[in-house]
Amino acid sequence: MPKELGTAARQALVALMVHVKVASNPELRSRYRFTITREAREELEKAGLITVRKGLRNANFHELTDEGWAVAERELTSPPPAGLTAPWLLHYATLRHIARLSARAGYRLADVYAGPDGVEERIREAYSGLAKQGGDLVSLAALRAKLTDVPRAELDRILHEMDRRREIHLDPDPNRKALTDRAKEAAIAIGGEDKHLISIGRP
């Protein structure tokens, strides 16, 4: 654990590890009542432990680097920072227990925390990087190009599920004659109709 990291930066590492994928402060606040301060963000970014990019409405999106994951895992075997409140102390104790069990089983914590929500969050992240604002229509071809490591069948299954839950909107391209072969190949069939475009949120 780098000695120069302060308490807020160490807590941010733990929060991002638990969250697994890219996270904005609104997401962290909604799920964990926690936000990454500017000072902690700059500290972690300078140390090469996270990457930060701008998304919709100038929101910062944070993601652990490989070194960040390694340091976050070491954080769980380090004494907790001084001055933490009882909930944080309990959280550290729980994670230390998970870390010990994971090590015995031969797992990395990245494997333990990665769950079914991972691809959904990556879809939202990819969309936010392609859309100018929430509700914009983005081509599925462009979205798939951002998620080439996700198997086609798995991505289609998750898109179907997110559309069913009304978390995304999938639409056909109104100008079918102008569709490229790439756009046609990227389409997903729902209700017997090919959908070529995705939108998330509202303008």
Side-chain angles (χ1 to χ4, degrees), residues 157-175:
R157 181 187 68 77
I158 293 173
L159 288 170
H160 270 282
E161 179 62 21
M162 293 177 75
D163 181 69
R164 185 187 66 79
R165 298 196 307 260
R166 301 294 187 268
E167 294 178 5
I168 63 173
H169 299 280
L170 296 170
D171 297 290
D173 192 314
N175 190 5

Side-chain angles (χ1 to χ4, degrees), residues 7-17 28 34-37 40-41 44 50 64 88 92:
T7 296
R10 293 175 66 179
Q11 290 175 301
L13 281 180
V14 173
L16 289 173
M17 179 180 62
L28 294 175
F34 176 84
T35 57
I36 298 175
T37 65
R41 180 175 68 248
L44 293 170
I50 65 171
L64 291 174
W88 267 103
Y92 265 78

Side-chain angles (χ1 to χ4, degrees), residues 56 76 132 191:
L56 296 176
L76 300 187
K132 292 182 178 179

Side-chain angles (χ1 to χ4, degrees), residues 1 67 85 139 199-200:
M1 183 69 199
E67 179 62 18
T85 58
S139 74
S199 64
I200 302 178

Side-chain angles (χ1 to χ4, degrees), residues 44-117:
L44 293 170
E45 193 173 18
K46 183 178 179 180
L49 303 182
I50 65 171
T51 58
V52 182
R53 67 168 182 80
K54 291 289 185 181
L56 296 176
R57 299 178 182 85
N58 255 356
N60 288 307
F61 287 81
H62 316 80
E63 183 174 20
L64 291 174
T65 62
D66 288 343
E67 179 62 18
W69 269 105
V71 173
E73 290 184 83
R74 293 201 297 273
E75 170 72 4
L76 300 187
T77 60
S78 303
L84 292 185
T85 58
W88 267 103
L89 289 173
L90 289 170
H91 190 59
Y92 265 78
T94 300
L95 293 178
R96 281 200 301 274
H97 179 66
I98 293 174
R100 286 194 297 269
L101 293 177
S102 300
R104 290 174 188 172
Y107 290 112
R108 287 193 62 202
L109 286 179
D111 302 320
V112 174
Y113 280 108
D117 291 340

Side-chain angles (χ1 to χ4, degrees), residues 139-142 144 152 155-156 159-160 170-173 176 179-190 193-198:
S139 74
L140 282 176
R144 290 188 191 279
R152 170 73 183 244
L155 185 55
D156 284 1
L159 288 170
H160 270 282
L170 296 170
D171 297 290
D173 192 314
R176 303 275 181 108
L179 285 173
T180 64
D181 290 341
R182 179 168 170 260
K184 293 176 182 177
E185 172 64 24
I188 183 170
I190 294 182
E193 183 179 35
D194 283 347
K195 311 286 186 175
H196 312 92
L197 304 168
I198 180 174

Side-chain angles (χ1 to χ4, degrees), residues 16-37:
L16 289 173
M17 179 180 62
V18 171
H19 194 73
V20 180
K21 295 305 298 181
V22 176
S24 65
N25 267 337
E27 290 173 315
L28 294 175
R29 185 184 302 111
S30 174
R31 292 196 179 195
Y32 316 114
R33 298 182 183 177
F34 176 84
T35 57
I36 298 175
T37 65

